[in-house]
Amino acid sequence: MTTGTRTAARRTAARRTACAAALLLALTAVPTSAVAVTADPVHVEGRLPSGATYAMDVPAGWNGTVLLFSHGYNPGPANPATNGPDEATKSLLLKQGYALIGSSYATTGWAVTDAVPDQLATLSAFTGRFGAASRTIAWGRSYGGLVTTAIAERHPERIDGSISLCGLVHGGVANWNNTLDPVFALKTLLAPGAAIPLVDLPDQKTAADAANTLTAAVDSAQSTPAGRARIALAAALHNIPGWNDPAQPKPAPTDWEAQQANQYTAVKGMVKFPAFSWRQEAETRAGGNMSWNTGVDYARMLGRSAVREEVTALYKKAGLSLKADLTALHRAPRIAADPSAVRWMSATSSFTGKLAKPQLSVHTTGDALVPVQTESALKRAVTAAGRTSLLRQAYVENAGHCTFSPAEQVAALHTLEDRLTAGRWVGTDPGSLNSRAAAADPTTPARYAAYRPAPYPRPYDLAHPADGR
């Protein structure tokens, strides 16, 4: 065979290969195209290369918008894929034609380094199967709000806008710092002689033992006026509100005893899970303790707290010196962070405020787990980055963490969509949001209200490089 003949043969083979590849692509594309236009809704489950699973729901008559949902903190061991905040809200959205997708994340716990790539991979898998969406909106609740904001800052090219619901939008370093503050106060004032490690927890047994010991001290203190005042002080350092569970009757504005009783329950919940068990898991990822209170002025922090009046009143009623207790906190041995752990948490879980696409951040006013003041921290970062035109924040007057109605969540979505369509924010006032909510689902509450959160007590973000260093 001559050189020319061999070249011609190679070209012929290449054309045949190209044709075969094109035919294969066409054949494999048929199901995708068929799924996208089918008159029946489609539910898909699958597994990503990371090991994370995903779930996708595409309704009949898909409207072209896909909602990428990031779920909240999951301590495990169960790790299901989640593609919406609750079944009632999902049902409303599917009826309106939205496609819903979301992953499990490859690991549980403080899994931001898995969550972001797994969510993006889920979006890619959706596009590969159903085609490119005309609009992609990232949204998430609680820890999923942190994941959503990380996607919004680091991968804005993958989305058109984002919604954070009751999110950890203050970032990881700020979260763990402010989780340390109330337990530091509880240990110092209620159990000063007890060997309760607050950081550098080597395993879950150590964390559980520490939580049990401190819980016993809190339970004992609740039986005395002085103990209740001190629990209220610890709650104030985290801005735990006096109405923080929908099951609680809402106390009168100056019913300090009822407010403290509600805080007591929330403080015990914080001790049981975030302050020890969840911290231990996060420390393992960070490679050490990522929190500190060196240089923290707790008297100043109390002065900025949303519940400082309650603390002052309860100390006075107990005949206890608030100044003396604040002095005790000031003099107590402080906790220093492991710099490498801070760097890890900062790099993976803190924010620059440099939004590139519109974000709507929504919070309940009575949240004890992720206090509404986190919204102040987000605004601080976004303002420093010069991106305030891209951010709007709204508040739902209700107790509890992520206790939004389906109507309120759908109203937030429609408000963001209007921003994406019009190129400017419209209808972000409480009246407009409540009208949207009532139109979306008149059977569930619409409780948007005018609200301005107090400053977040321990802000930390990448827009202020001197923070806490």
Side-chain angles (χ1 to χ4, degrees):
M1 183 180 293
T2 65
T3 301
T5 303
R6 285 196 297 269
T7 301
R10 283 197 296 268
R11 287 174 178 169
T12 300
R15 282 195 297 270
R16 287 173 178 168
T17 300
C19 290
L23 177 60
L24 178 61
L25 180 61
L27 290 173
T28 56
V30 169
T32 298
S33 176
V35 168
V37 299
T38 182
D40 297 320
V42 178
H43 176 77
V44 178
E45 296 181 5
R47 186 175 297 275
L48 299 170
S50 68
T53 57
Y54 60 77
M56 303 177 182
D57 284 291
V58 180
W62 174 36
N63 65 14
T65 296
V66 60
L67 306 181
L68 175 65
F69 182 75
S70 297
H71 68 71
Y73 184 90
N74 175 15
N79 190 23
T82 307
N83 66 345
D86 56 78
E87 291 303 317
T89 302
K90 287 174 59 176
S91 178
L92 280 175
L93 293 172
L94 290 170
K95 287 177 182 177
Q96 293 184 14
Y98 297 94
L100 310 179
I101 67 174
S103 76
S104 63
Y105 318 152
T107 57
T108 57
W110 195 266
V112 66
T113 52
D114 294 318
V116 171
D118 285 341
Q119 287 291 81
L120 296 178
T122 298
L123 182 56
S124 295
F126 174 85
T127 302
R129 176 152 187 161
F130 296 101
S134 59
R135 180 175 283 171
T136 300
I137 293 174
W139 66 322
R141 297 201 336 177
S142 191
Y143 176 78
L146 183 148
V147 175
T148 294
T149 304
I151 292 171
E153 281 201 359
R154 299 168 193 171
H155 304 279
E157 74 284 353
R158 301 296 304 275
I159 64 172
D160 295 289
S162 59
I163 301 172
S164 170
L165 300 167
C166 55
L168 281 75
V169 290
H170 51 328
V173 173
N175 176 75
W176 292 112
N177 270 346
N178 200 220
T179 302
L180 173 64
D181 295 323
V183 292
F184 177 81
L186 292 170
K187 179 181 183 296
T188 301
L189 300 177
L190 303 182
I196 304 174
L198 301 182
V199 299
D200 292 317
L201 303 163
D203 49 50
Q204 282 292 308
K205 183 180 185 306
T206 301
D209 290 344
N212 290 338
T213 302
L214 191 56
T215 297
V218 171
D219 284 337
S220 178
Q222 184 65 14
S223 64
T224 68
R228 291 192 290 272
R230 285 168 169 155
I231 293 170
L233 171 58
L237 298 181
H238 195 65
N239 274 310
I240 294 175
W243 184 47
N244 56 70
D245 186 327
Q248 300 165 342
K250 187 176 183 179
T254 58
D255 189 347
W256 310 125
E257 289 78 10
Q259 292 181 35
Q260 191 279 333
N262 292 343
Q263 290 168 327
Y264 160 65
T265 302
V267 166
K268 288 181 64 176
M270 172 177 286
V271 170
K272 184 176 181 181
F273 294 113
F276 292 100
S277 176
W278 298 358
R279 170 179 288 280
Q280 191 277 329
E281 192 274 338
E283 285 186 345
T284 299
R285 288 182 182 271
N289 167 39
M290 58 283 178
S291 302
W292 68 89
N293 65 356
T294 49
V296 172
D297 185 340
Y298 284 114
R300 182 172 182 270
M301 189 182 295
L302 175 63
R304 292 158 60 90
S305 172
V307 293
R308 62 187 181 280
E309 290 183 63
E310 173 206 338
V311 175
T312 302
L314 289 176
Y315 265 81
K316 183 177 180 180
K317 183 175 181 179
L320 193 63
S321 171
L322 178 56
K323 181 179 179 180
D325 275 0
L326 290 171
T327 299
L329 292 180
H330 177 72
R331 293 176 176 172
R334 296 303 180 94
I335 294 170
D338 178 340
S340 64
V342 175
R343 286 193 295 269
W344 184 91
M345 188 62 67
S346 179
T348 63
S349 310
S350 293
F351 300 122
T352 65
K354 295 180 180 179
L355 293 173
K357 301 289 178 63
Q359 182 173 81
L360 178 61
S361 189
V362 186
H363 225 106
T364 49
T365 58
D367 193 335
L369 183 61
V370 184
V372 66
Q373 287 75 23
T374 59
E375 297 294 336
S376 295
L378 173 63
K379 187 174 182 179
R380 172 180 184 260
V382 172
T383 300
R387 306 296 173 88
T388 53
S389 64
L390 293 173
L391 175 69
R392 287 297 182 272
Q393 293 165 295
Y395 303 95
V396 169
E397 188 175 351
N398 195 30
H401 181 54
C402 301
T403 51
F404 305 108
S405 70
E408 290 158 351
Q409 294 173 99
V410 175
L413 171 62
H414 292 335
T415 299
L416 176 65
E417 287 182 305
D418 275 359
R419 169 62 176 81
L420 299 179
T421 300
R424 59 186 178 86
W425 292 103
V426 293
T428 57
D429 60 284
S432 297
L433 286 163
N434 285 329
S435 294
R436 289 180 183 277
D441 180 17
T443 68
T444 60
R447 298 159 296 190
Y448 282 97
Y451 187 81
R452 184 176 181 178
Y456 189 72
R458 300 276 303 276
Y460 180 101
D461 58 63
L462 303 179
H464 297 81
D467 275 355
R469 269 62 164 198

